[in-house]
Amino acid sequence: MEKVSPLAGKPAPSTILINVPKLVTAYYAEVPDLSIPEQRVKFGTSGHRGSSFEHNFNESHILAISQAICDFRRQQKIDGPLFLGIDTHALSVPAFTSALEVLAANGIEVMLSEGDEYVPTPVISHAILTYNRGRKNRLADGIVVTPSHNPPAEGGFKYNPPNGGPADPDITNWIEAKANEYIQNGLSGVKRVLYDKAINASTTHRHDYLGSYVKDLVNVIDMQVIRDSKIKFAVDPLGGAGVHYWKPIAEQYGLNLTVISETVDPTFSFMTVDWDGKIRMDPSSPFAMKRLIDLKDQYEIAFACDTDHDRHGIVTKSSGLLPPNHYLSAAIYYLFQHRPQWSTEASVGKTLVSSQMIDFVSKKLGRKVYEVPVGFKWFVDGLIDGSLCFVGEESAGASFVRLNGNVWTTDKDGIIAALLSAEITARMGKDPGEIYNELTKEFGESSYDRFEAIATEEQKNIIKSITPEKVHLKDLAGEKITGIFNRAPGNNQPIGGIKVVAETGWFAARPSGTEDIYRIYVESFRGKEQMQIILEQAKSVVNEALKEAALTQPI
């Protein structure tokens, strides 16, 4: 396992800040070599990501992906407007520019934000669903230019079809193949007009993303209970796409909400450094969240969102930064008792690396659990048809339906997840950390952790293809193994790795779809020592698979 960097949790030194002019120049100047797999267009769990310095997020990639999306729209007869939004990463504006040049040349009706405001990922999903409600034709879709919480040198490009959520693998595989074909052919067939013509095209429109979303929040969060309680709470937008959303939210609903900072800086120099010595806007990391954690005693509840505001981090007076699993469990426990209009048949959606505490809480509430692979796209259909009311993943992503049980977003929404923590604190007179502690008295204390280590593309592919037959464990920390699977119980989809389960503990090993790392997730309800034993067993499974594949360098 990688060691924690001596820089972790400290203010970012100038030596690790990106050179923005060099990064943007590389975006336009460098050309990918498709004979190198890492330089091809590749959609992970949430879009194509990379860096212009690494030759995997350059102008060629974005022009080709944008044309492929136009081709896909034509093939599927999607002819409504396309909602386009960006976050605050340095590569987002260049990628937005390239995309608009292609979209305009293809005659696509594009909806840009008023005043060139940044647009959070959930706001794009909300806009698509709002537009498409009740429509059978001229359906809208969207593009979000963001690498989420990834480091400042990275860029990301994500397509959301008319269902408003992240595109499923059938769609992304098609777009990926078509885009690589365009790059291979020197971008022949890619339509493009100059930016000045694109921005002034008759098909380019402005949309009030901020106003529409903020006004609708009253239909998903009980704003009145927050306002009436007068609780003092705070938000740190971490310099992300929702940076200018929080003051209008506070003003519209009369909330006693302090915005810690509205600084936008593409180097993210205001951040404290993450565990590995990199700057990463991860609201579930105690290292990245140190600034807000240090303020916890000043507020009844505080929270942050990542760069595209699809993830949340909740800082409580009682417990400090809540691990995502703790907050998800507390949120589920609260919501299903305070949303009387929600369907009594609706289930709780969780990714297979989320805590078993969610299963215990759901069972207590009489709710079924729908367990899927990592990736929010697996929740989209359930949110739309109402079979899922709340969905969450251990990496601090969640969404839930409106007060009346209808769909709100089909992508992760860090804004509503954060505001919910204020609703819980206001109504219950105790914060989500206190609620979680009460749950542990009933179900036991979870020892859970996620471990990350560097992995090459080849190593990632080997870990991804581990099958149950390759797991030679007799037990899990002395406990009988009840299941070994590489497909999710909820929808039988491949999990891109392996999960081994016992009565009071489990582990899962899988490579990241967006970074050059792999992760082991471990949980035990029998203490940290048992968790450590399970972790060592998980490492042995991974190293054995690498050894069998004749890779002599175990991770």
Side-chain angles (χ1 to χ4, degrees):
M1 285 294 151
E2 295 294 293
K3 287 183 181 158
V4 172
S5 165
L7 293 175
K10 294 177 182 172
S14 59
T15 50
I16 69 167
L17 301 182
I18 57 164
N19 183 318
V20 175
K22 279 188 175 178
L23 184 75
V24 173
T25 300
Y27 173 83
Y28 290 105
E30 303 290 351
V31 177
D33 178 354
L34 295 198
S35 67
I36 301 169
E38 289 81 4
Q39 295 185 21
R40 298 174 69 84
V41 171
K42 187 174 187 300
F43 278 75
T45 45
S46 200
H48 171 77
R49 294 185 190 174
S51 172
S52 56
F53 287 149
E54 305 294 329
H55 302 87
N56 51 18
F57 195 90
N58 303 92
E59 186 183 41
S60 300
H61 294 102
I62 305 309
L63 295 172
I65 297 169
S66 300
Q67 185 61 53
I69 288 170
C70 293
D71 296 347
F72 175 79
R73 290 179 109 246
R74 260 191 298 276
Q75 185 204 66
Q76 298 295 315
K77 298 184 170 52
I78 300 167
D79 54 359
L82 184 143
F83 290 92
L84 177 59
I86 71 169
D87 78 358
T88 55
H89 275 79
L91 288 173
S92 292
V93 170
F96 158 82
T97 304
S98 303
L100 186 61
E101 290 174 351
V102 173
L103 295 168
N106 280 271
I108 309 288
E109 302 276 341
V110 182
M111 310 299 275
L112 307 181
S113 61
E114 286 184 356
D116 293 329
E117 185 55 72
Y118 303 108
V119 186
T121 288
V123 176
I124 292 286
S125 179
H126 177 269
I128 295 167
L129 291 168
T130 302
Y131 182 88
N132 288 342
R133 192 178 299 135
R135 288 179 185 269
K136 293 282 188 287
N137 48 38
R138 277 203 43 79
L139 295 177
D141 55 2
I143 290 172
V144 198
V145 185
T146 174
S148 190
H149 61 294
N150 282 17
E154 305 225 349
F157 202 82
K158 190 170 81 160
Y159 175 63
N160 286 32
N163 64 22
D168 66 39
D170 288 345
I171 297 173
T172 55
N173 289 345
W174 192 94
I175 292 170
E176 186 182 295
K178 194 74 180 167
N180 283 320
E181 191 182 307
Y182 278 124
I183 296 171
Q184 196 73 60
N185 296 330
L187 300 180
S188 173
V190 172
K191 295 179 184 173
R192 183 184 186 187
V193 295
L194 290 173
Y195 179 74
D196 187 54
K197 190 173 178 186
I199 198 74
N200 293 302
S202 61
T203 50
T204 300
H205 313 283
R206 294 290 174 173
H207 178 70
D208 183 14
Y209 286 102
L210 192 155
S212 307
Y213 179 88
V214 170
K215 189 178 173 186
D216 204 13
L217 280 169
V218 70
N219 294 307
V220 69
I221 296 290
D222 189 340
M223 290 299 194
Q224 188 174 339
V225 80
I226 305 174
R227 181 178 67 243
D228 293 350
S229 74
K230 297 185 171 57
I231 64 162
K232 186 182 176 190
F233 62 116
V235 59
D236 188 344
L238 300 181
V243 66
H244 299 134
Y245 276 63
W246 294 102
K247 275 190 180 166
I249 290 171
E251 286 162 10
Q252 172 109 16
Y253 297 107
L255 309 180
N256 187 10
L257 173 63
T258 300
V259 182
I260 299 297
S261 170
E262 289 191 293
T263 301
V264 173
D265 168 12
T267 69
F268 293 89
S269 60
F270 51 80
M271 289 295 297
T272 46
V273 179
D274 205 3
W275 68 275
D276 56 355
K278 292 183 180 179
I279 295 173
R280 190 180 285 107
M281 288 59 69
D282 180 357
S284 59
S285 163
F287 302 110
M289 286 280 280
K290 185 152 189 320
R291 177 168 74 172
L292 193 59
I293 294 167
D294 287 347
L295 300 174
K296 79 178 180 69
D297 294 331
Q298 296 179 30
Y299 302 97
E300 281 155 271
I301 193 87
F303 45 74
C305 292
D306 69 337
T307 327
D308 67 326
H309 271 50
D310 69 344
R311 297 177 195 236
H312 59 271
I314 311 299
V315 177
T316 63
K317 237 180 183 170
S318 66
S319 317
L321 177 65
L322 277 189
N325 280 311
H326 293 200
Y327 181 57
L328 295 180
S329 302
I332 291 163
Y333 186 66
Y334 170 83
L335 279 168
F336 282 94
Q337 297 180 81
H338 295 92
R339 291 295 188 269
Q341 293 181 62
W342 282 12
S343 162
T344 53
E345 301 299 311
S347 302
V348 173
K350 65 171 267 200
T351 52
L352 64 100
V353 295
S354 302
S355 174
Q356 207 170 358
M357 182 65 89
I358 291 170
D359 302 69
F360 299 153
V361 171
S362 300
K363 189 177 179 184
K364 177 183 171 72
L365 296 166
R367 298 285 175 164
K368 289 180 185 157
V369 172
Y370 180 70
E371 188 171 331
V372 299
V374 172
F376 220 76
K377 54 183 170 265
W378 305 115
F379 297 132
V380 172
D381 291 345
L383 286 167
I384 287 176
D385 67 22
S387 61
L388 295 173
C389 272
F390 178 97
V391 297
E393 57 183 14
E394 62 73 44
S395 55
S399 189
F400 46 93
V401 294
R402 294 166 180 267
L403 297 171
N404 66 5
N406 292 336
V407 64
W408 168 256
T409 58
T410 45
D411 216 326
K412 298 187 282 279
D413 192 333
I415 298 172
I416 64 165
L419 287 169
L420 178 66
S421 71
E423 181 190 328
I424 293 171
T425 307
R427 186 187 297 278
M428 305 305 288
K430 50 191 168 187
D431 67 44
E434 292 171 290
I435 290 171
Y436 182 79
N437 286 335
E438 288 172 8
L439 293 172
T440 64
K441 286 175 186 145
E442 184 170 352
F443 301 115
E445 188 75 56
S446 157
S447 295
Y448 178 102
D449 217 336
R450 183 180 89 177
F451 300 86
E452 299 180 346
I454 304 298
T456 64
E457 196 67 29
E458 192 178 3
Q459 287 171 326
K460 283 168 65 176
N461 286 333
I462 291 159
I463 296 165
K464 191 176 179 179
S465 58
I466 297 174
T467 58
E469 298 77 44
K470 289 180 182 170
V471 178
H472 304 125
L473 298 177
K474 298 278 189 291
D475 58 53
L476 212 54
E479 198 171 44
K480 184 185 172 190
I481 291 172
T482 56
I484 303 175
F485 51 90
N486 58 353
R487 286 181 172 270
N491 58 1
N492 199 36
Q493 290 292 328
I495 66 176
I498 196 80
K499 184 172 183 180
V500 180
V501 185
E503 192 67 35
T504 63
W506 59 271
F507 78 80
R510 60 178 297 279
S512 166
T514 56
E515 299 176 80
D516 290 330
I517 57 176
Y518 91 97
R519 298 185 175 106
I520 291 178
Y521 306 80
V522 189
E523 184 172 37
S524 174
F525 279 80
R526 293 191 293 153
K528 288 191 174 174
E529 281 183 26
Q530 299 301 111
M531 184 188 77
Q532 198 60 38
I533 294 168
I534 295 172
L535 171 64
E536 294 307 320
Q537 289 180 294
K539 283 193 211 173
S540 72
V541 168
V542 170
N543 285 331
E544 203 172 318
L546 295 176
K547 199 174 174 185
E548 278 181 25
L551 280 175
T552 53
Q553 289 295 317
I555 294 173

